[in-house]
Amino acid sequence: MSDAFSTRVLNVASGSGETVVDLTRKCEDFLREVAAGRDGLLNVFVPHATAGVAIIETGSGSDDDLLAALHTLLPADDRWQHRHGSPGHGRDHVVPAFVPPHATLPVIAGRLELGTWQSVCLVDTNISNVNRQVRLTFLG
């Protein structure tokens, strides 16, 4: 495989509750190993129908605000056509339309170029799927 393209799959235990998991450090660790000071792009992809990737501030309540907003927009009740799983699980399948399952981010001189308060996060509202995979791909 070319040095210009590197990929890794992270296994993330997202737990049995709705959550926002900060992946920024794992993204930075990956880039330290593979980017070697080069410019390029980092793609973060979640291969799941009920999770997404958000670039958001964490630790100040914004992550909880995001989950609350998703509850307001997409209540976990019996209105959904998709009905298997836990009550209201159909809304989990709509979440990726609002929080997409991917993000592509600039890498400059081997470092992730995020704004001061930005973090790369897995957003998981599916309480029945406690283990997730996240694919990191560097192209540079």
Side-chain angles (χ1 to χ4, degrees), residues 24 27-28 31 35 37-44 55 103-115 118 120 137-140:
T24 309
C27 291
E28 291 168 340
L31 290 171
R38 292 175 290 154
D39 294 350
L41 296 171
L42 174 67
N43 182 262
V44 182
I55 309 303
T104 301
L105 305 164
V107 176
I108 306 298
R111 297 186 58 160
L112 195 54
E113 279 291 304
L114 292 172
Q118 290 179 318
V120 181
T137 304
F138 174 69
L139 180 62

Side-chain angles (χ1 to χ4, degrees), residues 59-88:
S60 65
S62 297
D63 35 356
D64 291 332
D65 289 342
L66 173 58
L67 293 175
L70 290 173
H71 266 285
T72 299
L73 292 169
L74 308 168
D77 58 22
D78 64 356
R79 73 182 71 199
W80 306 100
Q81 298 299 310
H82 189 108
R83 295 189 184 267
H84 78 85
S86 58

Side-chain angles (χ1 to χ4, degrees), residues 7-24:
T7 190
R8 173 170 302 148
V9 174
L10 304 175
N11 293 303
V12 179
S14 58
S16 59
E18 296 182 8
T19 190
V20 175
V21 179
D22 191 337
L23 302 172
T24 309

